[in-house]
Amino acid sequence: MDRIKRIFFAVDRAFGGHLPPSEGRKRAVQHPLRFGLVGAVFFGGVAAWAIGRIDLPIVLYSLVMGALVSLGVIGERKRMMHYGFLPRPDRPASRR
């Protein structure tokens, strides 16, 4: 597992993952559930608009997509903590 993490962060650095994140990304990682809810409403709304009605499969689809968006945001939070853009919860925040 450690090797996979090293490979991931090497590829991430190669594509600019070590650069400072925007304010929007920082705000999103502070509230992953709220951001997932926005994603669920967006994906559900687009699907309901495309089909023309709201029924159970659309609601289930939007819930699954919202959960995936939240998981993606949580992964982004872990990545930002690795590069030091966010303080880790197990370490005290540095004073500047």
Side-chain angles (χ1 to χ4, degrees):
M1 190 63 156
D2 194 43
R3 179 180 279 180
I4 293 172
K5 285 173 67 174
R6 282 196 316 257
I7 291 171
F8 170 79
F9 285 116
V11 171
D12 191 46
R13 275 189 301 277
F15 284 103
H18 63 286
L19 301 175
S22 65
E23 288 299 317
R25 284 173 54 196
K26 285 183 184 178
R27 185 168 296 152
V29 300
Q30 291 173 353
H31 307 286
L33 295 179
R34 202 176 298 169
F35 200 75
L37 179 64
V38 169
V41 169
F42 172 75
F43 284 110
V46 169
W49 174 73
I51 292 177
R53 64 182 184 276
I54 298 176
D55 49 352
L56 185 61
I58 300 284
V59 172
L60 293 176
Y61 167 75
S62 66
L63 290 175
V64 168
M65 292 305 290
L68 289 176
V69 168
S70 290
L71 288 174
V73 170
I74 290 170
E76 180 70 13
R77 177 193 285 180
K78 299 284 185 188
R79 192 184 70 77
M80 283 187 189
M81 281 191 276
H82 173 78
Y83 287 121
F85 297 123
L86 295 176
R88 292 185 181 197
D90 57 345
R91 295 183 185 168
S94 62
R95 296 181 187 194
R96 294 181 184 192

